[in-house]
Amino acid sequence: MTTIGVTRTTLLKDLRMEWRSKDAINSMLFFALLVVVIFSFAFNPTAEESRRIAGGLIWVAFLFAAVVALNQTWARELRNQVLDAYRVSPAPPNALFLAKAIGNFFFVVVLEALMAPLFVVFYDLRSVGPVWQLIVVALLGTWALVVNGTFFAALSIRTRSREIMLPLILFPISIPALLAMVDATTSILTGEASPDFWIKMLAVYDVVFTAVCLLLFESVLNAE
Amino acid sequence: MTGPVALKTAYIVTWVILLGYLGSLLRRFRRVREEMKDFKRGG
Amino acid sequence: MKNLFIAFVVFTLALLAFSTYQALFVAPTEQTMGEVQRIFYYHVPSAWTAGVCFFVNFLASVAYLWKRNLASDGVAAASAEVGVTFCTIVLITGPIWARPVWGIWWTWDARLTTTLVLWLIYVSYLVLRRFSAGGQTQVLAAALAIFGFVDVPIVYMSIRWFRTQHPSPVMGGGENSGLDPAMLHAFFWNLAAFTCVGIVLMVVRYRLQMLEEKVEATHAAAALQGGSR
């Protein structure tokens, strides 16, 4: 089987399972909603202020929510010994990784699309800069979080205290991506600065870490 | 915090951290050696 | 081999005593900052040693993924831990210097923030090592080490764009950089001394790692033979 074939099969399987259970998307949605409500109590912002802090709020909420879904990525496969089966099969390891990463990317993008109107309503957001740039930042930023998150979920699943391990190793590495997302979003919302540097940085981050993930995933999958 | 006090604090802190780390290494050494000895006696 | 190491430890201690004497009593007092500038002689060599340790950690991790030998993994484990120790010294002596000179303990400037993020990354590496089980530790840790090392330049670039306040590097910086020769003298003695301290700590930590591996292997062998204990 080719890489693309395996990727497509695994991805469709994951999407179908998620479509039937809706576990990941529901728990992420509810979690992000809670974060939004708690932040609004904590900061109680006016429209003018909220434009400045919204970039941070949005991405912290999505980051925490994404961790909820990322933690579930490999749990099912581990429980049913799918990973062992995969290891002895001739299918390329990176196909499995790509399928999982694209699946997670899809879930988090759906979450963002559903949550965006809520942010606009709750925080009275109106963007001064062009909105299409926000979409570019969201797509690049989500991939940055998800590609490393999927990889680190594969690391943390093999440790004791799995659930807590993922944020501990994911957050430090993700700091530059998070900084880029927050700053780009703030500069677009306030329209005070150009987000170009941050968008380029996110693109570089995505390319570099996608390459590192693909390079190392086979070793991690085969780790005894 | 004035200059000379800061200077002394910084140097002392450096020494404390280095010696503390060395101490923790030696403690771990002793524990592993004991475990090795127990094992040989018991096994 | 053991005698050689003991000789090296004695040499390191003598060197450290000498370099500390140079830093505290021989080097001239800096004009604008005064006595507090002498923290520099411990602060920068610690940063240098931490950097060397993290670089060694990266090389050892790559070597482990390639060769799969326990020795590389031992070097990786040792260098990460010693690197975090020196990085901690940097992060503590820095604010102690900054308070009298800048009037604040901490600022979110490029170099400070990068050092803090570096520290966080390698602490998470140590946590991963501690919490992963048995034979998987080495591969998982090596993978994370490569991620961490690749991340450092990206962190630096992004935060540099974000804000900068740290004094520009005094060594090999712009035209106005450069130290008084007497200061440079003290600085290089300390650089040598801290590098040697780093080597000593890494050797000790490496030996400990190898010993722990041996104990674990003995346990595993005994368990295979039907638990003779």
Side-chain angles (χ1 to χ4, degrees), chain B residues 15-34:
Chain B
W15 281 97
V16 167
I17 291 175
L18 286 180
L19 290 177
Y21 180 60
L22 191 64
S24 86
L25 282 184
L26 295 180
R27 218 169 33 244
R28 276 150 78 184
F29 249 115
R30 211 172 49 217
R31 213 174 46 219
V32 176
R33 287 233 169 86
E34 262 164 27

Side-chain angles (χ1 to χ4, degrees), chain C residues 106-152:
Chain C
W106 182 265
T107 164
W108 293 97
D109 135 281
R111 219 170 278 244
L112 279 73
T113 313
T114 307
T115 313
L116 181 64
V117 174
L118 198 65
W119 187 85
L120 288 173
I121 289 174
Y122 284 94
V123 169
S124 78
Y125 172 88
L126 294 179
V127 173
L128 178 71
R129 283 201 82 99
R130 166 155 297 192
F131 279 93
S132 52
Q136 298 182 342
T137 312
Q138 293 92 358
V139 177
L140 304 187
L144 185 60
I146 291 171
F147 271 86
F149 193 79
V150 170
D151 206 30
V152 174

Side-chain angles (χ1 to χ4, degrees), chain C residues 129-185:
Chain C
R129 283 201 82 99
R130 166 155 297 192
F131 279 93
S132 52
Q136 298 182 342
T137 312
Q138 293 92 358
V139 177
L140 304 187
L144 185 60
I146 291 171
F147 271 86
F149 193 79
V150 170
D151 206 30
V152 174
I154 302 181
V155 172
Y156 185 71
M157 284 307 293
S158 62
I159 299 170
R160 196 188 159 94
W161 186 264
F162 201 48
R163 44 187 103 161
T164 293
Q165 179 172 3
H166 193 278
S168 62
V170 277
M171 320 291 299
E175 286 120 52
N176 287 329
S177 75
L179 290 170
D180 183 288
M183 288 182 173
L184 210 58
H185 188 72

Side-chain angles (χ1 to χ4, degrees), chain B residues 14 18, chain C residues 15-16 19-20 41-43 45-46 48-49 86 89 189-199:
Chain B
T14 306
L18 286 180
Chain C
L15 191 60
L16 192 60
S19 73
T20 306
Y41 300 118
Y42 266 26
H43 179 76
S46 301
W48 153 263
T49 313
F86 278 101
I89 293 176
W189 279 113
N190 275 287
L191 199 64
F194 272 74
T195 311
C196 288
V197 173
I199 292 171

Side-chain angles (χ1 to χ4, degrees), chain A residues 154-176:
Chain A
L155 289 188
S156 66
I157 195 89
R158 285 128 185 281
T159 61
R160 288 176 270 138
S161 65
R162 320 175 160 154
E163 309 274 297
I164 192 68
M165 202 59 216
L166 175 60
L168 288 190
I169 54 181
L170 176 61
F171 289 179
I173 302 275
S174 299
I175 285 173

Side-chain angles (χ1 to χ4, degrees), chain A:
Chain A
M1 265 176 130
T2 61
T3 305
I4 297 176
V6 178
T7 308
R8 198 197 302 125
T9 315
T10 317
L11 178 63
L12 287 178
K13 177 214 65 163
D14 279 348
L15 290 182
R16 201 177 305 126
M17 288 180 95
E18 178 60 26
W19 180 251
R20 285 181 191 155
S21 71
K22 301 189 185 63
D23 280 346
I25 201 79
N26 278 339
S27 45
M28 275 200 295
L29 258 180
F30 190 59
F31 192 85
L33 182 67
L34 287 176
V35 174
V36 169
V37 172
I38 288 171
F39 274 166
S40 71
F41 291 145
F43 298 109
N44 195 16
T46 63
E48 196 50 41
E49 278 171 48
S50 69
R51 201 174 280 149
R52 289 186 189 287
I53 58 169
L57 294 188
I58 292 172
W59 285 109
V60 171
F62 289 156
L63 177 66
F64 287 166
V67 167
V68 175
L70 288 168
N71 257 329
Q72 302 303 317
T73 312
W74 305 100
R76 190 191 298 129
E77 318 295 359
L78 200 72
R79 215 166 32 239
N80 299 326
Q81 276 81 44
V82 177
L83 288 183
D84 292 332
Y86 205 94
R87 218 179 287 160
V88 295
S89 81
N94 280 340
L96 179 64
F97 175 76
L98 277 178
K100 290 290 183 187
I102 294 171
N104 280 329
F105 178 72
F106 185 74
F107 299 150
V108 177
V109 166
V110 168
L111 165 84
E112 286 167 3
L114 293 175
M115 289 298 294
L118 264 181
F119 270 105
V120 173
V121 171
F122 280 170
Y123 291 96
D124 195 15
L125 283 182
R126 272 183 305 276
S127 175
V128 178
V131 176
W132 65 268
Q133 284 186 333
L134 280 178
I135 295 171
V136 174
V137 172
L139 292 178
L140 287 174
T142 307
W143 181 253
L145 288 185
V146 158
V147 73
N148 279 352
T150 308
F151 189 91
F152 290 154
L155 289 188
S156 66
I157 195 89
R158 285 128 185 281
T159 61
R160 288 176 270 138
S161 65
R162 320 175 160 154
E163 309 274 297
I164 192 68
M165 202 59 216
L166 175 60
L168 288 190
I169 54 181
L170 176 61
F171 289 179
I173 302 275
S174 299
I175 285 173
L178 203 65
L179 178 65
M181 290 185 281
V182 170
D183 241 53
T185 308
T186 310
S187 18
I188 296 167
L189 285 179
T190 58
E192 282 166 1
S194 159
D196 288 354
F197 173 82
W198 294 118
I199 291 176
K200 276 182 214 144
M201 229 221 60
L202 274 176
V204 170
Y205 186 97
D206 284 353
V207 171
V208 168
F209 280 102
T210 307
V212 178
C213 286
L214 292 178
L215 208 63
L216 294 176
F217 184 71
E218 189 173 355
S219 312
V220 169
L221 182 71
N222 292 328
E224 283 308 320

